Amino acid sequence: MIALNHISKVYGNGTVALQDMNLAIAQSQLIGLVGPSGCGKSTVLRLVAGLSQKSSGTIEWGMDREVKKLAYVFQDAALMPWANVRENVRLPLKLSGMSKRTAATRVQQAIELVGLSGFERSYPRELSGGMKMRVSIARALVTQPNILLMDEPFGALDEITRSKLNSDLLNLWQQQRWTVIFVTHNIYEAVYLSNRVIVMAARPGRAIADIAIEVPYPRTEAFRTSSLYNKYCREVSERLAEAMEERQEVRGETQNIF
Amino acid sequence: MKRKTSSKRSKKRSLSANVIAPVLVGILAFVLWDVFVRVTGMPPYLLPGPLLVLQTLIADWNDLFSALLVTVQITVVAFVTAAVSGLLISVLFTQSQWIERSFYPYAVILQTTPIVAIAPLIIIWLKNNTFAALVVCAWIVAFFPIVSNTTLGLNSVDRNLLNLFQLYKASRWQTLLYLRLPAALPYFLGGLRISGGLALIGAVVAEFVAGTGGARSGIAYSILISSYNLQIPRMFAALFLTTGLGVTIFVGLSVLSEWLLRHWHESAIKEDW
């Protein structure tokens, strides 16, 4: 449904963020994107979202422009500190010109969906990190998107909050069946959530492995301690190690040259 | 709820400490001043004692207070004009790099030219309307901090929020109204606090330069005339009124700023949650 074909991204200063990146994502798939920092994971999201322009290659959409509805969840919650939870969640609808009254039901639904009922009037500074992320997710869901782009959304959270949000996200995804690209540097999170884990290498950024996690949903807490889960984690981590090694070699070569 | 009450209580306690400490210093200073004047037998035309100043203030209250009101008028009009024009200019600056590049240096030039040097010119140009001339002088001094602060604020918006607005295809107007202006509010208020004091200084300097007497002369003119006539106690009384006005402006703007930012800005957060 989304196909990235031979995508390259070169920044103005000559940095090659992505080179010949290929990725095909079927509808309602949850794709985990892992890789070392600087491998262009976030760049993939930004290109898909249209927030930056690709240098070459094509992005194909297996859907009409009308149907395509993107939502983006940023690494930090990126909330407006001057607005309460309800106003933050309402923002995308407000920008599309929807009246406050029409928006009210959808805003309330989105807030309930992420489990923040009762906090509608709270301001961001009164919320914990996990709750801020929930607001950010509610703001993404309020437009009823079919594609959800998540850029290390739980990266700054503690482990307990993170695993709670992971299972809540999976529950929501099973209800709503968005297509999700989930960027993370956490192998365990990627394996637990994804249909497929894409491992990326840096300099230049590209996909080096595509590992299908063939475990049916709903994935229970028991899955997290199963040997199958461990097997997948080991596999991803080995491929990630390869990605890192490759970089070491490249660095070694350049050192030899000098 | 429990937390809230305890935070209120600790706020009250720190507030009273914040008031008591400077008041004690003030009283001490007055006592030392009084003792100094009495011991050295300093004549009142060089340094009047604090009690004499107070007596003069009470005796000349009607004169001095109506003069103060004139200065208040000049300051307030100049300040409000500076706030509005400063905000508009900053918005204009952030809408186009070219406008900012072309005009910002002139805003700096206007700011760095000493007001004492250009005040006579402005007073000559507006000789039929001294009030307007004084307002213009005070405005020139007051508007720059607002422009520079607000421009900085409008440009320092969270990048992710900007991306979000871009993603949802927000218009330039929506981005300004819902993102840039609220994000700039703390900076704007910081600018207001600086320029409130500067508006008063500008008004005082302009009154000194204009030197106009008559019914509509301000408190700075009273200071000037008192010093000519060697009415030093009266000069001190007028000086205290001016200082009081400056402090009132500052405190008022601080309270306003804290109230507007009570929900969200770090500077307004008293206690860690």
Side-chain angles (χ1 to χ4, degrees), chain A residues 46 49-52 70-72 74-76 78-83 88 91-92 94-97 123-126 139-140 143 149, chain B residues 4 158-171 174-175 178-180 182-183 261-266 268-269 271 273:
Chain A
R46 292 183 60 83
L51 288 176
S52 71
L70 285 169
Y72 206 116
F74 293 95
Q75 192 166 3
D76 56 345
L79 302 177
M80 301 179 291
W82 55 85
N88 265 295
L91 177 71
K94 184 159 137 188
L95 292 178
S96 73
Y123 284 82
R125 74 170 179 91
E126 300 164 345
R139 180 178 61 191
T143 56
L149 307 171
Chain B
K4 243 179 198 165
D158 182 344
R159 289 198 70 80
N160 283 336
L161 274 172
L162 266 180
N163 280 329
L164 195 79
F165 272 66
Q166 196 188 334
L167 190 75
Y168 290 119
K169 301 184 176 60
S171 65
Q174 283 177 322
T175 311
Y178 300 142
L179 184 59
R180 287 192 190 275
L261 300 180
R262 68 196 177 285
H263 283 310
W264 62 287
H265 202 254
E266 297 296 332
I269 298 170
E271 194 190 22
W273 280 73

Side-chain angles (χ1 to χ4, degrees), chain A residues 25-37:
Chain A
I25 302 165
Q27 188 164 354
S28 300
Q29 261 190 340
L30 202 166
I31 300 287
L33 225 53
V34 295
S37 54

